Amino acid sequence: MAEPQFKAERVGIGHRLRSLTRAGQVQIRDGKLTLMNSQGTEIDSAPVHLVRAGKPWFAGGDEALATVNGHRYRLKLGSRDPEQGEDGPPSARRFFDAVRTAGGDAARE
């Protein structure tokens, strides 16, 4: 299996007003976006070209919205990319770039 083009750990994932996990994972690998809980169980996945990603108007720089299979998920990423060796999830901007690069629909910033 190929290395993921994008991988974020310790991501908060929510659906509507409900938090699904505070330490989930987001991965883009082989043209597929996968959302996973903290145990690595899949929450949802879809080919990246069917995923829409954008910035919520009500949130800070560390949140993104991803529409996967018609379900809208709120992703709490980092406000900035971690330094080399530093722990933490990548920034929302890097997530948007990864979705766009893999062929998905991501809002321009």
Side-chain angles (χ1 to χ4, degrees), residues 14-88:
H15 178 59
R16 300 189 185 209
L17 296 176
R18 184 172 159 227
S19 174
L20 300 176
T21 183
R22 293 189 333 205
Q25 296 178 35
V26 177
Q27 238 181 58
I28 297 176
R29 180 187 303 223
D30 298 328
K32 180 180 176 182
L33 179 124
T34 306
L35 304 175
M36 294 174 274
N37 68 15
S38 56
Q39 278 80 38
T41 303
E42 185 177 299
I43 295 171
D44 207 346
S45 67
V48 178
H49 71 277
L50 299 176
V51 172
R52 283 190 14 233
K55 183 145 187 54
W57 61 270
F58 54 83
D62 60 347
E63 288 195 28
L65 292 175
T67 305
V68 181
N69 294 323
H71 301 281
R72 184 175 288 176
Y73 295 97
R74 188 182 68 254
L75 308 176
K76 185 154 177 63
L77 296 147
S79 57
R80 61 176 178 77
D81 287 326
E83 297 295 325
Q84 184 75 17
E86 186 182 18
D87 210 14

